[in-house]
Amino acid sequence: MDLDLQKVKRMPIMVALMVGAFVATLNETLLGNALPVLMKEFQVGATTIQWLTAAYLLVVGALIPVTALIQQWLTTRQLFLISMITFLIGTIVAAMAPTFMLLLVGRVIQAIGTGLIIPLLMNTLLNIYPAEKRGSIMGVLFLIFTFAPAIGPTLSGIIIDAMDWRWLFYTIIPIAMISIIVGYYYLVNVTVLTKPKVDVLSIILSTLGFGGVVYGFSATGNEGWSDPQVYWSIITGGLFLILFTVRQLRISNPILELRTFRFSLFSLSIILLIIVMMAMFATITLLPMFLQSVLLVTAFQSGLIMLPGGVVNGLMSPVTGKLFDRFGARVTIIPGILILCIAMYLFTGFTLESTSLQIILTHCLLMLGVALILVPVQTYGLNQITPEYYAHGSAIFSTLQQIAGAIGSALFIATMSARSSTHLAQSSNPDDVTEQLTASVAGYSDTFMLGFIISIIALVVALFLRKNAKEKQAG
């Protein structure tokens, strides 16, 4: 389809899509500082409350690859309005939820809207901007995708401390409505409607597979690794993922073209992305719980403590793309993972006497490492594949980024809950408040040690990265 770029009003289109994407991706972590409050509000445990984040990420991850097919059935304007109206409905449901289950339903509906709009934004901006201007607009795009989730816990802390938790959703409603109105008047179609066959079985297998694995990791906190509910969920989810993989390799129009993994350096990049996203989302979820439940700071103070790290991540994300262009993958990714390892190790040393400054500096170090890795590792991975796999490579990155965040949050919170309970059971006086706090600190320390070990694995993997042809010519 030939699109007359001279007649397209890019700015209002960009505003509508980016505002929509910002509030949608912001919601991935917006409940970060609210989780302790919601645990008390609905009388549920840490491993249950984390589903407000894990389910959101899981649904987004399941929908992203499907959107590539949906964009060939619906116009850009239709899909945008469906995604944002769905997101708005979910926000309203969550804001008015009287029970935890209804709040979770609202989050799932929100996630459906988010999963539709993220790839739509990418595709639309690539179509309305000429090739020579895409670099700068992609920099802004990555800024949204990394900065919005990074500042989510900070905003939630400020809102929770000043107002009721429902205002986390009330404040988003007018912003989403503005995005819908602007998109309704200015969006134009940028895709060809070929209406291909949608393989429903692949969608079912993918959802059951990822859902089973994430649920299994999540249930370990309450049940333990030896419980049948845990290992059968993981085993069943794994079997569904195997069936999903086999089907993608056999059908002519796969949801995810898994042959992309034949490119070894692309696969290495995927491994690094999964580890980094697990570490980032797990820390964003765990840290507010540590601050409020162990150090007993307010939600507002917790938000302020996490704000500098979000700012560091937001400011550095566009910069790291330029560093990658100039110096290549190893010069940016390996130092980033080293910084990630150092931050994770420092987290293991937190105690009841840890100061706010110590936590702020460690969190900033973590977010600096994440910023040095995320954009370069995705760009490097996509550079390794041939043009016919670009769309599939992007979809795989986007899907696994969300799924890794969900599994990371579930795994780390489950580990924290289980280890804290173990340490408390070993204490001389489990009913003593000081003993309970000490056991919690030990549980968090063990969990961050797990993060440190995973980060070391990422460092080893990163050593196998090598220059591609373009980098060799530049170097």
Side-chain angles (χ1 to χ4, degrees):
M1 180 187 68
D2 293 325
L3 188 67
D4 189 349
L5 297 179
Q6 299 299 322
K7 295 181 179 180
V8 173
K9 296 181 179 179
R10 298 189 190 118
M11 186 54 66
I13 292 176
M14 188 175 77
V15 169
L17 288 170
M18 288 195 170
V19 169
F22 182 83
V23 294
T25 52
L26 175 67
N27 267 266
E28 292 180 351
T29 58
L30 186 60
L31 295 187
N33 269 307
L35 295 183
V37 174
L38 294 172
M39 287 167 62
K40 295 178 182 178
E41 173 86 9
F42 296 111
Q43 296 297 303
V44 295
T47 51
T48 300
I49 205 71
Q50 65 88 26
W51 272 101
L52 293 175
T53 298
Y56 192 96
L57 296 172
L58 178 61
V59 173
V60 171
L63 273 176
I64 283 177
V66 182
T67 310
L69 293 175
I70 296 177
Q71 288 184 77
Q72 298 176 61
W73 277 87
L74 300 173
T75 67
T76 305
R77 186 165 169 268
Q78 289 172 337
L79 184 53
F80 173 77
L81 292 176
I82 290 172
S83 64
M84 286 308 299
I85 290 173
T86 302
F87 178 81
L88 179 60
I89 292 172
T91 304
I92 294 172
V93 170
M96 302 179 68
T99 64
F100 172 78
M101 284 308 300
L102 198 56
L103 176 59
L104 183 59
V105 169
R107 289 286 288 171
V108 169
I109 297 173
Q110 277 188 319
I112 293 172
T114 302
L116 294 174
I117 197 172
I118 289 177
L120 175 65
L121 168 62
M122 179 87 69
N123 186 50
T124 303
L125 293 183
L126 288 175
N127 277 278
I128 66 174
Y129 281 89
E132 63 271 15
K133 293 185 178 181
R134 288 176 188 164
S136 58
I137 202 66
M138 288 298 289
V140 177
L141 191 62
F142 276 110
L143 174 60
I144 289 176
F145 288 160
T146 56
F147 188 54
I151 65 171
T154 301
L155 291 179
S156 67
I158 294 172
I159 292 173
I160 281 292
D161 204 55
M163 296 174 284
D164 184 80
W165 64 266
R166 297 180 189 275
W167 281 95
L168 291 170
F169 302 102
Y170 290 150
T171 53
I172 290 173
I173 292 174
I175 302 175
M177 292 179 68
I178 291 172
S179 177
I180 291 171
I181 293 170
V182 175
Y184 177 82
Y185 283 105
Y186 290 101
L187 268 181
V188 295
N189 189 44
V190 298
T191 57
V192 179
L193 301 184
T194 57
K195 298 186 177 181
K197 181 181 178 181
V198 178
D199 188 52
V200 177
L201 180 57
S202 292
I203 298 173
I204 294 173
L205 291 174
S206 173
T207 303
L208 291 175
F210 286 123
V213 171
V214 173
Y215 178 79
F217 278 112
S218 177
T220 57
N222 287 330
E223 312 300 337
W225 290 102
S226 60
D227 190 272
Q229 178 182 339
V230 172
Y231 59 75
W232 277 119
S233 294
I234 296 175
I235 292 172
T236 303
L239 290 175
F240 277 118
L241 288 178
I242 293 173
L243 293 174
F244 171 75
T245 300
V246 172
R247 183 158 183 82
Q248 299 316 290
L249 295 174
R250 288 184 176 180
I251 62 178
S252 59
N253 190 29
I255 288 179
L256 283 181
E257 179 52 271
L258 300 181
R259 292 178 183 85
T260 311
F261 286 103
R262 291 184 304 182
F263 299 89
S264 59
L265 295 180
F266 172 83
S267 298
L268 284 179
S269 300
I270 289 291
I271 295 172
L272 294 177
L273 177 82
I274 289 173
I275 293 174
V276 172
M277 291 308 297
M278 287 178 65
M280 175 181 170
F281 275 96
T283 305
I284 286 175
T285 306
L286 279 175
L287 201 52
M289 297 175 69
F290 175 80
L291 289 167
Q292 294 178 52
S293 302
V294 178
L295 299 188
L296 306 179
V297 304
T298 66
F300 176 71
Q301 291 171 324
S302 175
L304 290 181
I305 288 172
M306 297 190 71
L307 178 60
V311 172
V312 167
N313 183 268
L315 293 177
M316 283 301 298
S317 292
V319 176
T320 55
K322 295 180 179 179
L323 291 175
F324 172 80
D325 287 339
R326 183 171 182 181
F327 300 108
R330 292 173 63 90
V331 177
T332 51
I333 295 174
I334 292 178
I337 297 177
L338 277 172
I339 293 173
L340 181 68
C341 292
I342 294 171
M344 280 295 179
Y345 184 76
L346 292 176
F347 275 129
T348 66
F350 282 3
T351 67
L352 291 172
E353 286 73 40
S354 295
T355 64
S356 296
L357 180 60
Q358 179 184 351
I359 297 172
I360 289 172
L361 292 177
T362 306
H363 183 233
C364 284
L365 196 65
L366 173 80
M367 298 309 284
L368 173 62
V370 169
L372 285 170
I373 301 166
L374 273 187
V375 176
V377 82
Q378 293 185 67
T379 308
Y380 176 82
L382 292 173
N383 282 347
Q384 309 309 312
I385 60 181
T386 50
E388 65 268 23
Y389 289 106
Y390 282 163
H392 297 286
S394 297
I396 290 171
F397 265 118
S398 298
T399 300
L400 293 183
Q401 183 170 324
Q402 305 298 322
I403 298 298
I407 292 178
S409 298
L411 175 62
F412 277 57
I413 289 181
T415 302
M416 179 275 295
S417 181
R419 294 302 300 161
S420 295
S421 298
T422 300
H423 286 293
L424 184 60
Q426 295 172 349
S427 66
S428 57
N429 186 10
D431 295 325
D432 182 70
V433 175
T434 302
E435 292 282 347
Q436 292 172 357
L437 291 176
T438 302
S440 294
V441 170
Y444 280 101
S445 179
D446 291 347
T447 305
F448 283 117
M449 179 56 70
L450 173 63
F452 172 69
I453 293 171
I454 294 174
S455 301
I456 291 294
I457 295 173
L459 181 60
V460 174
V461 172
L463 296 177
F464 290 91
L465 297 175
R466 57 179 183 268
K467 290 184 177 181
N468 57 29
K470 293 180 180 179
E471 290 178 346
K472 289 178 181 179
Q473 291 174 3

